Amino acid sequence: MLTEKEILEIANKYVNLIEKESKIEMIIVPYRTLEKPYGFIYSYTSKKLFETKDDRYAIAGNAPFLIEKETGNIIVFGTANVREYYIEEYEAGRWPK
């Protein structure tokens, strides 16, 4: 089982990859992190939006993602529904499809 620190390192590496591809500085939103028995769920956004709250800096497609405690696997949720929908689907064994 991975530690919380190891999981956060995986999450930061994942967000850094997205940042490099998009050329937009990103940040994990700390107050949106959710711990579950099976892993941690993270949300991220552009650093400028986080700092300024100015919608001009909003980004599209920044789906929340889960890092599983047992494996370190990254499970990307969607953006069409609220985060809770994807959590329920994952817990029911229906996500990812």
Side-chain angles (χ1 to χ4, degrees), residues 34 36 38 41 77 82-95:
L34 182 61
K36 292 288 195 172
Y38 47 80
I41 300 164
F77 294 155
V82 295
R83 180 174 69 163
E84 289 70 23
Y85 167 82
Y86 297 101
I87 293 169
E88 288 175 15
E89 290 297 295
Y90 177 82
E91 290 175 352
R94 296 187 294 262
W95 192 271

Side-chain angles (χ1 to χ4, degrees), residues 2-37:
L2 298 171
T3 66
E4 185 174 345
K5 182 179 177 184
E6 291 169 323
I7 292 170
L8 183 57
E9 287 174 14
I10 294 168
N12 282 320
K13 285 180 184 178
Y14 175 72
V15 171
N16 287 338
L17 285 174
I18 295 168
E19 184 177 85
K20 285 179 185 177
E21 289 177 7
S22 67
K23 297 181 178 35
I24 298 171
E25 196 172 3
M26 302 287 181
I27 188 169
I28 291 175
V29 182
Y31 58 84
R32 295 272 303 154
T33 300
L34 182 61
E35 183 177 6
K36 292 288 195 172

